[in-house]
């Protein structure tokens, strides 16, 4: 018997549902998978109109009857996370013949057919153009070869080509020696191929979890990736010899037909720990390329998109590095306005909420940021973690906010979670140190300083305080100078302390006056200021005493 069109559609949606929940985007999240299965099942049963927050709370999230969405935000938070997960999945799978979509403001999913189906648009509104179409305003860099243009408001589209394995040409690997012979392609070495495949898979998993990055799936060549709309293409090779591994990685910008980044990663004594090494290298590549806002991909996007006012939350995030480089008051005011405006549009943007909380705390240490409301920062940080619990940056920001509020144990706990999640480890090391784990925190911080091509000078603050803690005030003065941000109070504060302890009182008082000009509160209550810096109370006492020698307090 021939199936009805309705039953055929139901079967297609059910098959697509299984593909979606098995993808790395969902990462086995039982709560998100359960929610999506329930929504799809109810919609296919014709009960989509009955989907409401109280029903989801009791049937999916095991809340009691009488659920109050004002007191308990679980439905709103989980729906927002699910909507974003679906958007990430279909950005990476534009050829899907059936798409499960969650329009904003609705609980019932809709099912679109055809590859790269557009989001449902309100009546009378123009549908969103497909990913590879020219934006209406002509913005966005046009590829000179394929004519494809990335979404002008969304994040970048990245493809990861399968890494190749190559035959080693010598019995040793010297990281500093030039190549005497070209590598021979087509290695049949099983272990080398396994590492190449493993790195490709691990990078796909990490990239798809990176906020604001859309990962193109299953592209085999650079030309294919470009033709399917990828602006950035990652390719790499693996060479494995007894005891040593070299991974070489390149990043191509298809819009201009050029290689824009390249790096080699050498590891020695790798026998018996290939999985750990593979994971470590994959995380370093991810940090270098797609970690917001300093990854190489975002740096290119920032340079191109800074010529016009931000048109999306992503373009607001791209403006953070400019402010972090100077802590300029004018840029600070603009960034505060942009954050507020786009959070008004989408109050459940967990990524922007996290950066807004970080911005609020950091700006309170500048001359232009006198409004310090810890409750506001804590609210944004906690909401960011609720919306994006697996996002490293959300955990890092919450740790920073808790440290600023004097909750050292809470800050250390969140920093530990961030460490397990991976992501940008430099900020995690910074937080671990200030939360009291000085040795491990500074070790992580120094290691990733050496790996990073660029980073905010403010990270030297943790190293300056660690040097003060150890009584090495000459080193503390060097680290304070490396902060190099006169608009940020940390530079003057660390300098004043180090100079006072070195007996250079006249210079310490000059630094103290500079600190008071940026942060007037330090003259009235230096202990309250210093308590925001570190959970180490012995160090707090030492800093307060040194500031008194510098004429403060």
């Amino acid at each position: 018997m021939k199936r009805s069109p309705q039953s055929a559609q139901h079967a297609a949606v059910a098959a697509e549902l299984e593909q979606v929940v098995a993808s790395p985007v969902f990462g086995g999240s039982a709560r998100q998978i359960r929610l999506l299965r329930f929504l799809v099942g109810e919609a296919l049963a014709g009960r989509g109109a009955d989907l409401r927050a109280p029903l989801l709370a009791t049937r999916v999230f095991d809340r009691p009857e009488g659920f109050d969405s004002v007191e308990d935000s679980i439905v709103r938070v989980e729906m927002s996370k699910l909507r974003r997960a679906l958007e990430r999945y279909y950005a990476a799978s534009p050829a899907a013949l059936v798409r499960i979509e969650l329009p904003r403001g609705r609980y019932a999913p809709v099912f679109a057919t055809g590859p790269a189906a557009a989001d449902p648009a309100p009546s009378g509104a123009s549908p969103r153009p497909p990913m590879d179409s020219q934006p209406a305003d002509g913005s966005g860099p046009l590829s000179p070869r394929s004519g494809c243009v990335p979404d002008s408001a969304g994040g970048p589209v990245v493809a990861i080509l399968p890494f190749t394995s190559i035959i080693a040409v010598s019995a040793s690997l010297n990281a500093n020696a030039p190549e005497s012979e070209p590598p021979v392609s087509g290695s049949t070495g099983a272990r080398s191929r396994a590492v190449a495949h493993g790195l490709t898979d691990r990078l796909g998993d990490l990239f798809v979890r990176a906020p604001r990055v859309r990962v193109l799936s299953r592209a085999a060549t650079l030309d294919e990736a470009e033709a399917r709309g990828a602006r950035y293409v990652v390719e790499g090779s693996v060479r494995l010899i007894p005891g040593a591994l070299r991974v070489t990685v390149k990043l191509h910008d298809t819009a201009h037909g050029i290689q824009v980044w390249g790096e080699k990663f050498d590891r020695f004594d790798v026998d018996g720990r290939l999985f750990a090494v593979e994971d470590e290298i994959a995380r370093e590549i991810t940090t270098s390329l797609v970690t917001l806002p300093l990854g190489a991909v975002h740096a290119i996007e920032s340079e191109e998109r800074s010529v016009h006012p931000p048109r999306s939350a992503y373009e607001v995030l791209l403006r953070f590095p400019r402010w972090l480089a100077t802590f300029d008051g004018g840029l600070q005011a603009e960034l505060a306005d942009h954050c507020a405006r786009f959070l008004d549009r989408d109050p459940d943007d967990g990524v922007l909420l996290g950066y807004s909380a970080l911005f609020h705390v950091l700006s309170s240490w500048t001359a232009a940021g006198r409004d310090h409301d810890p409750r506001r920062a804590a609210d944004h940080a906690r909401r960011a973690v609720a919306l994006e619990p697996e996002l490293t940056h959300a955990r890092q920001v919450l740790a920073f906010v808790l440290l600023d509020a004097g909750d050292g144990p809470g800050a250390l706990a969140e920093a530990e979670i961030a460490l397990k999640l991976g992501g940008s480890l430099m900020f995690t090391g910074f937080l671990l140190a200030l939360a009291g784990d000085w040795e491990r925190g500074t070790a992580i911080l120094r290691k990733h300083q050496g790996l990073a091509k660029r980073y905010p000078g403010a990270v030297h603050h943790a190293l300056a305080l660690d040097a003060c803690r150890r009584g090495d005030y000459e080193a503390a003065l060097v680290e304070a100078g490396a902060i190099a941000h006169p608009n940020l109070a940390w530079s003057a504060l660390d300098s004043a302390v180090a100079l006072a302890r070195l007996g250079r009182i006249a210079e310490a008082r000059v630094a103290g006056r500079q600190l008071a000009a940026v942060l007037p509160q330090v003259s009235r209550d230096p202990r309250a200021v210093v308590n925001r810096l570190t959970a180490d109370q012995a160090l707090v006492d030492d800093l307060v005493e040194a500031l008194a020698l510098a004429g403060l307090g």
Side-chain angles (χ1 to χ4, degrees):
M1 179 181 294
K2 187 176 181 179
R3 288 195 299 178
S4 69
Q6 184 180 35
S7 64
Q9 184 201 37
H10 285 198
V13 170
E16 176 65 8
L17 175 62
E18 297 308 313
Q19 291 283 339
V20 171
V21 299
S23 74
V25 171
F26 283 81
S29 172
R31 176 178 282 183
Q32 289 281 289
I33 291 172
R34 183 182 180 188
L35 174 59
L36 182 59
R37 288 190 184 280
F38 181 78
L39 294 175
V40 170
E42 292 297 290
L44 291 179
R47 295 188 292 269
D50 298 329
L51 291 170
R52 296 287 187 275
L55 177 67
L56 298 181
T58 55
R59 296 283 298 278
V60 180
F61 303 117
D62 302 318
R63 294 303 196 260
E65 296 293 336
F67 170 77
D68 185 348
S69 61
V70 176
E71 295 293 328
D72 189 340
S73 64
I74 186 169
V75 174
R76 176 172 57 83
V77 167
E78 293 298 329
M79 285 294 293
S80 178
K81 287 166 56 180
L82 179 58
R83 185 176 295 110
R84 294 181 193 284
L86 287 172
E87 289 171 354
R88 291 198 299 271
Y89 175 79
Y90 286 112
S93 305
L97 297 180
V98 177
R99 296 163 63 90
I100 303 169
E101 300 175 342
L102 278 177
R104 292 188 182 277
R106 294 169 55 180
Y107 292 103
V110 297
F111 311 116
T113 58
D119 288 343
S123 177
S126 301
R128 186 179 66 184
M131 185 174 67
D132 59 354
S133 67
Q134 174 71 35
D137 62 359
S139 60
L142 181 65
S143 167
R145 293 183 288 171
S146 72
C148 292
V149 185
D151 182 342
S152 62
V157 181
V158 182
I160 304 167
L161 303 187
F163 277 42
T164 60
S165 61
I166 58 178
I167 295 175
V169 296
S170 68
S172 64
L173 184 61
N174 185 337
N176 299 315
E179 302 281 354
S180 59
E181 301 178 54
V184 181
S185 61
S187 170
T188 58
R191 294 176 75 213
S192 181
R193 288 201 307 272
V195 173
H197 294 164
L199 266 175
T200 306
D201 289 344
R202 189 68 179 116
L203 283 174
D205 179 50
L206 292 173
F207 274 38
V208 84
R209 296 171 187 271
R212 299 301 196 262
V213 171
R214 296 175 290 173
V215 184
L216 196 68
S217 62
R218 298 184 295 277
T221 67
L222 191 151
D223 287 341
E224 179 191 348
E226 180 185 5
R228 290 174 56 193
R231 166 78 189 271
Y232 303 96
V233 180
V234 180
E235 68 170 349
S237 64
V238 171
R239 181 191 306 178
L240 182 65
I241 64 174
L245 171 71
R246 168 169 289 177
V247 176
T248 303
V249 187
K250 301 174 183 177
L251 176 69
H252 302 277
D253 179 353
T254 66
H256 300 100
I258 59 174
Q259 178 183 326
V260 292
W261 180 90
E263 190 64 79
K264 72 175 187 291
F265 301 85
D266 289 338
R267 296 294 187 274
F268 300 91
D269 300 320
V270 299
D271 291 342
R273 60 185 193 97
L274 275 175
F275 283 165
V277 171
E278 179 183 297
D279 189 65
E280 179 182 291
I281 293 175
R283 289 185 182 278
E284 288 182 16
I285 295 168
T286 302
T287 299
S288 298
L289 296 184
V290 297
T291 296
L292 268 172
L294 298 175
V297 165
H298 301 299
I300 297 170
E301 294 289 313
S302 176
E303 184 176 344
E304 294 180 353
R305 299 186 191 217
S306 62
V307 297
H308 55 71
R311 298 167 295 184
S312 66
Y314 173 62
E315 294 188 355
V316 175
L317 296 171
L318 292 178
R319 282 158 167 76
F320 269 81
R322 288 181 61 210
W323 176 66
L324 290 171
T326 63
F327 293 95
D328 175 77
L331 291 175
Q332 189 163 302
E334 290 180 13
L335 198 50
D337 178 67
H338 294 325
C339 285
R341 185 157 50 91
F342 281 94
L343 283 175
D344 281 343
R345 295 184 187 180
D346 185 0
D348 292 333
D349 187 332
V351 179
L352 187 56
L353 279 167
Y355 276 90
S356 176
L358 175 67
F359 170 76
H360 185 72
V361 174
L362 268 179
S363 64
S364 70
W365 289 97
T366 70
R370 305 293 173 81
D371 175 25
H372 180 232
D373 181 359
R375 292 172 299 179
R376 176 183 168 193
D379 174 64
H380 281 196
R382 292 188 187 282
R383 286 170 58 200
V385 168
L387 288 160
E388 304 282 358
E390 300 302 312
L391 182 62
T392 302
H393 188 262
R395 297 289 184 173
Q396 291 171 328
V397 170
L398 182 55
F400 190 49
V401 168
L402 292 173
L403 183 70
D404 183 74
D407 183 359
L412 187 59
E414 291 296 332
E416 293 284 4
I417 295 174
L419 187 63
K420 292 177 182 177
L421 291 174
S424 176
L425 293 179
M426 187 183 300
F427 191 20
T428 302
F430 177 91
L431 294 164
L432 285 170
L434 295 182
D437 194 342
W438 291 102
E439 285 76 12
R440 187 167 52 138
T442 54
I444 292 171
L445 179 54
R446 289 189 184 281
K447 174 184 177 181
H448 289 275
Q449 271 183 292
L451 295 171
K453 292 292 186 293
R454 59 178 187 146
Y455 59 87
V459 301
H460 287 274
H461 173 58
L463 299 175
L465 291 188
D466 178 58
C468 289
R469 179 186 68 88
R470 293 183 285 103
D472 188 350
Y473 297 107
E474 291 286 0
L477 192 58
V478 171
E479 298 292 355
I483 296 173
H485 292 310
N487 297 319
L488 183 68
W490 293 347
S491 180
L493 189 153
D494 297 344
S495 295
V497 169
L499 289 165
R501 289 306 190 193
L502 289 169
R504 295 158 62 176
I505 301 302
E507 294 171 86
R509 290 181 177 271
V510 171
R513 289 193 291 271
Q514 292 171 345
L515 172 59
V518 175
L519 205 68
Q521 184 191 0
V522 74
S523 298
R524 302 188 298 271
D525 192 350
R527 184 170 292 276
V529 170
V530 173
N531 272 327
R532 296 175 55 200
L533 292 176
T534 176
D536 187 334
Q537 286 306 303
L539 178 58
V540 167
D541 292 341
D542 184 68
L543 296 176
V544 170
E545 184 177 305
L547 288 177
L549 295 173
L552 299 168

